[in-house]
Amino acid sequence: ETGVTQSPTHLIKTRGQQVTLRCSSQSGHNTVSWYQQALGQGPQFIFQYYREEENGRGNFPPRFSGLQFPNYSSELNVNALELDDSALYLCASSLGASGANVLTFGAGSRLTVL
Amino acid sequence: KNEVEQSPQNLTAQEGEFITINCSYSVGISALHWLQQHPGGGIVSLFMLSSGKKKHGRLIATINIQEKHSSLHITASHPRDSAVYICAAPGTLYGGATNKLIFGTGTLLAVQP
């Protein structure tokens, strides 16, 4: 049974560029949640995808968007990057969208915006 | 005020000590999660509990639903336990749905040999 895989692990972008981060969910999981973790802070919920549909969104602007594919892997896209977007982006998969499901986290994608 | 608060923020212990990290929450929850994050980022789920107590090795988690309080205990602490410990609860912060996790700010634990 594979865990959650995120790619890339590290990347550097400049302001105004666009980025796509990828997440392969754990086998058997149908839900992926994305979180942003700034340095020294706790993770902040971006959005969740359940069975290919967005299932809730945190306080992030529309330039943060996502997708979930039929195999339940997911992408996070961020347009018009800003310096404050520099953070660790974590995805977590679970079986079911309830907050009472065990989460499996990926190692994260560390984004630096210059 | 955060809906999920942890204490202490920082904790230094000597190897072998018994450690307690506390978490208080103000939302109605279906379950509370305890997570461990090592330097570099990766998060590991330690426990998910909705009542009572759970134990895994040297780790014990308890929750008191009436008091909206949970604790994570580490017995016979070891330097490899050094990490950030985070509690998280599903909450209504984002309006309506209660399936989105709200994270505490974490407790940075350093266990010295």
Side-chain angles (χ1 to χ4, degrees):
Chain A
E1 179 180 280
T2 58
V4 174
T5 304
Q6 290 187 243
S7 63
T9 55
H10 295 81
L11 70 166
I12 299 173
K13 293 284 188 177
T14 56
R15 275 188 303 175
Q17 285 189 311
Q18 178 266 342
V19 68
T20 298
L21 307 178
R22 296 179 175 83
C23 173
S24 295
S25 58
Q26 180 166 307
S27 177
H29 285 184
N30 56 15
T31 303
V32 172
S33 302
W34 285 92
Y35 298 90
Q36 180 195 65
Q37 186 176 25
L39 200 61
Q41 304 294 316
Q44 298 291 316
F45 174 75
I46 303 175
F47 43 56
Q48 181 187 77
Y49 279 85
Y50 172 64
R51 293 186 175 179
E52 302 180 59
E53 298 286 332
E54 186 178 291
N55 185 45
R57 187 179 183 91
N59 189 27
F60 281 82
R63 58 189 185 84
F64 284 77
S65 63
L67 283 174
Q68 188 177 33
F69 299 99
N71 66 355
Y72 302 126
S73 65
S74 178
E75 285 184 355
L76 164 65
N77 299 289
V78 187
N79 294 321
L81 284 167
E82 300 178 359
L83 296 179
D84 285 348
D85 296 333
S86 296
L88 180 69
Y89 289 85
L90 295 158
C91 84
S93 73
S94 58
L95 178 59
S98 164
N101 288 292
V102 175
L103 298 170
T104 302
F105 283 83
S109 293
R110 188 167 295 281
L111 171 65
T112 301
V113 182
L114 302 176
Chain B
K1 183 180 187 304
N2 291 330
E3 294 185 65
V4 178
E5 293 196 334
Q6 287 184 238
S7 63
Q9 284 190 309
N10 294 280
L11 181 56
T12 300
Q14 292 298 121
E15 184 173 356
E17 284 185 1
F18 180 83
I19 289 164
T20 296
I21 300 170
N22 296 301
C23 177
S24 297
Y25 52 91
S26 59
V27 295
I29 64 168
S30 52
L32 185 129
H33 299 254
W34 279 102
L35 310 163
Q36 180 193 58
Q37 186 171 32
H38 281 281
I43 292 180
V44 174
S45 178
L46 298 175
F47 296 103
M48 185 191 67
L49 68 166
S50 55
S51 66
K53 173 178 164 179
K54 285 192 175 180
K55 184 176 189 292
H56 184 253
R58 295 180 294 103
L59 302 178
I60 303 167
T62 63
I63 190 167
N64 184 317
I65 298 293
Q66 286 74 30
E67 294 184 5
K68 297 194 171 183
H69 180 270
S70 177
S71 293
L72 176 69
H73 306 284
I74 305 175
T75 62
S77 59
H78 190 276
R80 65 174 174 268
D81 297 326
S82 299
V84 176
Y85 292 85
I86 306 171
C87 68
T92 57
L93 181 63
Y94 304 109
T98 59
N99 56 347
K100 312 303 181 287
L101 287 187
I102 299 170
F103 290 77
T105 52
T107 295
L108 176 59
L109 171 65
V111 181
Q112 297 176 342

